[in-house]
């Protein structure tokens, strides 16, 4: 099985990198009310990856009450407004355990040893490609600063209030303001917002692979990165919220990135020149290249490990904060009730103070016990669900 | 104090362009220990730091997206050119690409680490502030931080995982013959990734330290770290100095 033959690089390989399995997406969206899962990775199966919110910061101009996703370069916008705009990120919390294994399993067994082998996504990728516009439509916009309903999230991972309310771009930048409302607040912390006194109101653009792909398509249509002009590119991409300045700077980066590797590829000389001249003996050559490969492999393993640990740590940090907030809320509620009771009753009964004091220490205890749970939960997350250490071991063995 | 030292080490080991982009933990700590730490100043500084993180992170992310695509193209071109020839040139080019992939992966992971360590630093400094002033700045402020672009590392993480998957396909299977080279690999790996490898190891060691359990362990502390097989890599307590591989 040759590599070039079966995998037909440009369309399928590309979509195997950015892949999207819209059917599963639809399914999940409609049935389980999951927020739109963007940029699912190359598995052909239920991906359940960290869904990535589309990062565009809301524009103060125009009628859009929240920003449009930069990836929505497909013009059909009527869907996007009705789409949910939740914090997709929060869904990643209960779900992070799973993707690794599933992805591993989705890899076909017929990997050629030692050579490139992109998974023959075959029909799934072609499916993905044809339904791409649909999916692009479904891309939701900014999810910055959405207040996830943490308590619900804890209770039921599938539930994150999925109303398609149009969020109002609230400016909760003032330093200690707590955004108390539930889901659909758009955090305009980096957007242009008049009340962003303590944050610079810069409009920050956040690129996505999809948008970049649109950019590259436009460039190619215009005859290459040298010939294309920012204005023309901007027009071709046709994505609201994208300005010519964004395109300009991106184009510059693009040109720089292309220029460097072009040199090494176009010259027929192998980069490891010295290797060739010193070692003519093929066996020695082989040994060194194996050493290098193993060195790289080792480096990769270390990097992988760090990444896994970072993800775990991040999840834990999020959970800690969320628990803290939840408890805070409970305390406040309880205190409120106490207040009301006190006001309500004319004579303070003896039971009141006891109730007060008993309510005070218990939150602390609860928080401590939460941390304990996290502790044991943390280690069990690592062991039981097989993520990350289990997944790592699996990967290593597959090597 | 431990964190302060750790973040300093990280910064020292980090890629040069990154060094001034990290949280200025020590300065902030000094501000807090001053007799009357003004909240407005403190918050102003924090916000400035956050802006710095956001700007740097988003820019790096953009570069990564571009590079990600370019690397894909390169692989594609190489495969088209060489098919599955086993000639020397192909092997060298694939070696070059493998190196690039690993380094690219490494750099992305380091960006995720950057995000995390800055977040952790912010959380700690806020805790110190509240402790010092008896204020309640931490909780709402950290909520705001959670919504910042630099904290949202999902995209980069996704790319990282994609390349891990690709790598599995691009590297030869571990055979017994190959396993014998592991020892020399450990030595040359320090040079293979140079700054990236050192930085990665430093980051892992930092994490291990941080998760060891502190004297001020409390409700908001992270549980202990569970590194298993990576300990093998971290066992040499010092970071190996780069040794040039005989090319």
């Amino acid at each position: 099985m040759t590599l070039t033959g079966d995998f037909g690089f440009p369309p399928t390989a590309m979509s195997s990198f950015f892949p999207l399995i819209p059917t599963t997406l639809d399914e999940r969206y409609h049935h389980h009310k999951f927020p739109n899962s963007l940029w699912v990775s190359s598995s052909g199966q239920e991906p359940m990856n960290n869904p990535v919110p589309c990062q565009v910061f809301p524009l103060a101009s125009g009628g859009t009450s929240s920003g449009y996703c930069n990836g929505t370069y497909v013009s059909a916008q009527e869907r996007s407004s009705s789409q949910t705009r939740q914090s997709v990120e929060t869904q990643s919390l209960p779900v992070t355990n799973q993707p690794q294994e599933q992805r591993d399993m989705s890899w076909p067994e017929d990997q050629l040893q030692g050579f490139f082998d992109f998974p023959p996504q075959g029909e799934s990728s072609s499916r993905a490609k044809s339904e791409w516009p649909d999916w692009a439509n479904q891309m939701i916009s900014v999810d910055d600063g959405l207040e996830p309903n943490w308590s619900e999230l804890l209770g039921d991972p599938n539930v994150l209030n999925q109303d398609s309310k149009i969020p109002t771009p609230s400016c909760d930048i003032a330093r200690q303001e707590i955004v108390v409302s539930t889901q659909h607040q758009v955090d305009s912390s980096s957007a242009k917002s008049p009340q962003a006194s303590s944050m610079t109101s810069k409009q920050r653009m956040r690129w996505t692979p999809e948008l970049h792909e649109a950019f590259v398509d436009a460039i190619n249509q215009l005859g290459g990165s040298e010939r294309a002009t920012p204005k023309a590119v901007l027009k071709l991409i046709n994505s609201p919220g994208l300005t010519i300045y964004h395109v300009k700077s991106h184009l510059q980066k693009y040109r720089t990135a292309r220029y460097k590797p072009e040199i090494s590829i176009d010259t027929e000389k192998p980069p490891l020149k010295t290797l060739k001249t010193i070692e003519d003996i093929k066996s020695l050559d082989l040994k060194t290249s194996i050493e290098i490969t193993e060195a790289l492999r080792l480096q990769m393993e270390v990097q992988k490990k760090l990444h896994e640990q970072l993800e775990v740590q991040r999840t834990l940090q999020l959970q800690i904060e969320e628990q803290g907030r939840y408890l805070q809320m409970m305390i406040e509620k309880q205190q409120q009730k106490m207040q009301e009771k006190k006001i309500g009753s004319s004579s303070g009964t003896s039971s009141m103070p006891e109730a007060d004091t008993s309510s005070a220490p218990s939150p602390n205890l609860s928080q401590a016990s939460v941390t304990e749970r996290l502790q044991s939960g943390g280690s069990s997350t690592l062991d039981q669900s097989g993520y990350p250490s289990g997944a790592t071991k699996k990967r290593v063995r597959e090597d | 104090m431990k964190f302060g030292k750790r973040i300093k080490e990280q910064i020292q080991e980090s890629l040069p362009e990154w060094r001034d982009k990290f949280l200025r933990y020590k300065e902030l700590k000094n501000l807090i220990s001053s007799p009357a730490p003004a909240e407005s100043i403190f918050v102003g500084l924090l916000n400035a730091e956050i802006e710095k993180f956001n700007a740097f992170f988003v820019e790096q992310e953009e570069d990564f997206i571009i590079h990600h695509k370019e690397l894909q193209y390169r692989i594609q071109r190489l495969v088209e050119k060489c098919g599955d020839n086993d000639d020397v040139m192909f092997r060298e080019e694939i070696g070059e690409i493998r190196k690039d992939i690993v380094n690219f992966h490494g750099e992305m992971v380091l960006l995720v680490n950057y995000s995390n360590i800055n977040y952790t630093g912010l959380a700690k400094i806020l805790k110190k502030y509240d402790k010092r002033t008896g204020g309640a700045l931490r909780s709402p402020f950290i909520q705001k931080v959670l919504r910042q672009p630099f904290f949202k590392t999902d995209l980069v993480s996704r790319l990282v995982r994609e390349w891990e998957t690709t790598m599995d396909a691009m590297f030869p299977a571990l055979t017994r013959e190959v396993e014998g080279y592991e020892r020399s690999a450990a030595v040359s790996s320090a040079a293979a990734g140079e700054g990236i490898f050192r930085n990665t190891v430093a980051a892992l060691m930092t994490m291990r330290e941080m998760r060891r359990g502190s004297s001020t362990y409390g409700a908001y502390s992270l549980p202990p770290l569970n590194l298993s097989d990576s300990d093998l890599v971290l066992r040499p307590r010092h970071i190996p100095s780069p040794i040039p591989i005989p090319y």
Side-chain angles (χ1 to χ4, degrees):
Chain A
M1 192 201 298
T2 62
L3 296 157
T4 49
D6 293 2
F7 303 126
F9 271 107
T12 52
M14 290 318 157
S15 54
S16 81
F17 272 96
F18 299 111
L20 230 268
I21 317 292
T23 50
T24 43
L25 198 81
D26 279 352
E27 204 182 341
R28 290 170 65 203
Y29 174 65
H30 293 304
H31 298 321
H32 306 294
K33 301 218 169 208
F34 256 62
N36 291 318
S37 183
L38 310 173
W39 309 313
V40 170
S41 97
S42 45
S43 140
Q45 327 221 331
E46 276 292 325
M48 301 220 274
N49 262 359
N50 292 337
V52 183
C54 193
Q55 303 288 351
V56 170
F57 301 97
L59 306 177
S61 65
T64 59
S65 55
S66 67
Y68 280 92
C69 177
N70 280 324
T72 338
Y73 52 90
V74 176
S75 54
Q77 309 246 336
E78 65 276 4
R79 287 236 235 155
S80 57
S81 59
S82 66
Q83 295 305 324
T84 54
R85 299 169 194 263
Q86 297 72 16
S87 169
V88 176
E89 196 181 357
T90 61
Q91 285 299 328
S92 70
L93 293 181
V95 184
T96 25
N97 300 335
Q98 308 183 35
Q100 303 294 337
E101 290 170 324
Q102 294 192 327
R103 196 173 310 115
D104 287 341
M105 291 191 299
S106 79
W107 276 84
E109 306 81 307
D110 54 338
Q111 288 186 4
L112 280 174
Q113 306 276 331
F115 294 96
F116 305 88
D117 193 337
F118 296 100
Q121 290 296 321
E123 55 169 65
S124 62
S125 55
S126 52
R127 226 193 309 140
K129 184 87 166 98
S130 60
E131 284 171 299
W132 205 357
D134 267 356
W135 156 78
N137 283 345
Q138 287 177 36
M139 259 194 177
I140 58 182
S141 59
V142 174
D143 293 297
D144 269 358
L146 296 178
E147 286 300 306
N149 206 334
W150 292 115
S151 44
E152 273 186 33
L153 183 65
L154 286 176
D156 177 2
N158 285 338
V159 173
L160 192 65
N161 196 337
Q162 308 284 317
D163 299 336
S164 55
K165 284 191 284 182
I166 309 259
T168 52
S170 76
C171 305
D172 57 345
I173 315 310
R175 306 157 199 161
Q176 299 180 42
E177 247 179 78
I178 306 173
V179 179
V180 176
S181 74
T182 48
Q183 296 80 15
H184 305 289
Q185 301 255 1
V186 168
D187 183 88
S188 42
S189 60
S190 311
K192 295 187 287 195
S193 114
Q195 286 138 41
S197 51
S198 50
M199 303 279 273
T200 60
S201 50
K202 200 166 52 167
Q203 185 181 14
R204 184 169 294 114
M205 165 74 185
R206 202 159 178 184
W207 281 82
T208 70
E210 290 70 24
L211 185 61
H212 177 68
E213 201 152 313
F215 172 88
V216 172
D217 283 343
I219 293 281
N220 291 334
Q221 279 182 52
L222 294 168
S225 61
E226 295 304 316
R227 293 181 61 184
T229 64
K231 195 174 177 185
V233 172
L234 179 65
K235 238 187 170 153
L236 271 177
I237 296 181
N238 190 28
S239 169
L242 192 62
T243 71
I244 195 165
Y245 301 106
H246 298 147
V247 174
K248 249 188 190 169
S249 75
H250 196 75
L251 184 59
Q252 204 170 22
K253 284 181 185 272
Y254 182 72
R255 284 177 179 151
T256 316
R258 280 194 85 89
Y259 184 63
K260 278 187 299 180
E262 286 295 335
I263 300 176
S264 58
I265 286 190
D266 285 350
T267 61
E268 285 305 307
K269 285 204 180 92
L272 307 171
K273 226 191 304 187
T274 43
L275 176 66
K276 279 225 79 175
T277 53
I278 292 172
E279 286 126 359
D280 281 320
I281 310 164
K282 198 169 182 194
S283 60
L284 204 61
D285 190 2
L286 188 66
K287 176 177 181 252
T288 313
S289 84
I290 290 179
E291 272 184 14
I292 294 173
T293 306
E294 288 320 298
L296 287 175
R297 204 197 291 265
L298 182 66
Q299 182 185 345
M300 188 63 163
E301 284 306 310
V302 174
Q303 287 167 186
K304 262 187 187 173
K305 195 66 173 181
L306 175 59
H307 186 238
E308 280 170 8
Q309 293 303 330
L310 284 167
E311 292 197 293
V312 169
Q313 180 151 311
R314 177 196 160 88
T315 306
L316 292 170
Q317 284 169 331
L318 282 170
Q319 283 178 359
I320 287 173
E321 290 307 324
E322 142 203 340
Q323 294 286 354
R325 278 191 66 222
Y326 179 65
L327 287 166
Q328 185 85 20
M329 212 165 45
M330 298 300 283
I331 298 171
E332 281 168 7
K333 267 192 191 161
Q334 208 170 11
Q335 284 175 350
Q336 241 177 5
K337 281 187 188 160
M338 291 302 154
Q339 287 293 338
E340 285 162 12
K341 253 190 178 172
K342 267 190 180 163
I343 294 169
S345 67
S346 49
S347 57
T349 58
S350 56
S351 61
M352 289 292 192
E354 288 167 29
D356 265 350
T357 50
S358 65
S359 71
S362 60
N364 291 336
L365 281 174
S366 323
Q367 180 70 338
S369 66
V370 156
T371 313
E372 276 172 35
R373 254 190 294 131
L374 279 181
Q375 225 172 327
S376 52
S379 42
S380 67
T381 310
L382 291 174
D383 301 333
Q384 284 173 12
S385 65
Y387 172 81
S389 49
T392 310
K393 286 183 186 128
K394 210 190 250 184
R395 270 200 287 272
V396 170
R397 285 196 195 108
E398 275 171 9
D399 269 351
Chain B
M1 198 55 215
K2 255 191 309 194
F3 180 80
K5 202 170 78 162
R6 286 292 157 190
I7 192 175
K8 200 165 135 197
E9 275 176 23
Q10 286 261 306
I11 293 174
Q12 277 168 3
E13 294 296 339
S14 67
L15 305 165
E17 322 82 73
W18 295 35
R19 285 195 194 135
D20 59 347
K21 306 291 186 207
F22 284 84
L23 179 70
R24 291 178 295 173
Y25 188 74
K26 197 167 181 195
E27 285 94 328
L28 286 164
K29 234 174 41 139
N30 290 339
L31 176 67
I32 292 176
S33 11
S34 71
E39 181 170 298
S40 54
I41 296 179
F42 182 64
V43 172
L45 281 177
L46 288 184
N47 284 330
E49 292 293 284
I50 290 175
E51 265 310 300
K52 182 175 73 175
F53 303 153
N54 285 338
F56 178 69
F57 187 89
V58 169
E59 174 142 9
Q60 287 296 313
E61 190 185 54
E62 185 179 349
D63 285 336
F64 288 160
I65 288 176
I66 294 176
H67 193 209
H68 170 77
K69 199 78 201 171
E70 287 311 300
L71 210 46
Q72 288 177 0
Y73 280 137
R74 263 176 74 193
I75 293 174
Q76 177 189 342
R77 280 200 294 266
L78 183 64
V79 170
E80 282 170 2
K81 194 168 75 170
C82 303
D84 41 13
N85 287 348
D86 197 16
D87 69 344
V88 185
M89 189 150 76
F90 170 71
R91 226 182 318 132
E92 281 170 6
E93 286 194 42
I94 190 179
E96 188 67 18
I97 282 192
R98 279 186 189 144
K99 186 180 81 159
D100 283 347
I101 291 176
V102 172
N103 286 342
F104 181 47
H105 176 272
E107 223 181 311
M108 286 197 287
V109 173
L110 287 174
L111 189 66
V112 177
N113 178 58
Y114 166 87
S115 165
N116 192 283
I117 209 168
N118 287 323
Y119 170 82
T120 307
L122 281 173
K124 283 182 181 286
I125 206 81
L126 282 164
K127 183 174 162 188
K128 287 191 195 295
Y129 179 85
D130 279 355
K131 191 170 170 192
R132 170 89 170 78
T133 65
L137 179 59
R138 197 192 97 78
S139 189
F141 199 94
I142 212 75
Q143 289 302 318
K144 183 179 79 160
V145 174
L146 291 176
R147 298 190 295 264
Q148 296 302 310
F150 85 89
F151 188 72
K152 301 194 174 178
T153 54
D154 289 337
L155 176 57
V156 179
S157 282
R158 187 196 114 212
L159 294 181
V160 165
R161 281 192 296 271
E162 280 188 26
W163 284 105
E164 283 170 11
T165 314
T166 307
M167 276 285 291
D168 287 342
M170 286 188 59
F171 267 52
L174 264 179
T175 64
R176 206 174 303 165
E177 180 196 358
V178 155
E179 273 165 0
Y181 293 102
E182 262 177 32
R183 213 183 314 151
S184 48
V187 155
S188 48
S189 63
E194 293 164 12
I196 291 177
F197 184 73
R198 292 168 66 96
N199 197 350
T200 307
V201 172
L204 270 169
M205 285 169 67
T206 297
M207 281 187 77
R208 195 157 69 160
E209 271 294 317
M210 276 183 356
R211 302 274 294 275
R212 196 155 271 171
S214 67
S215 54
T216 54
Y217 190 82
Y220 287 96
S221 302
L222 287 164
L225 190 58
N226 179 14
L227 286 176
S228 48
D229 37 317
S230 76
D231 283 3
L232 200 66
V233 176
L234 298 182
R235 212 166 281 157
R237 294 280 155 175
H238 61 283
I239 298 172
S241 54
I243 300 169
I245 321 176
Y247 261 37

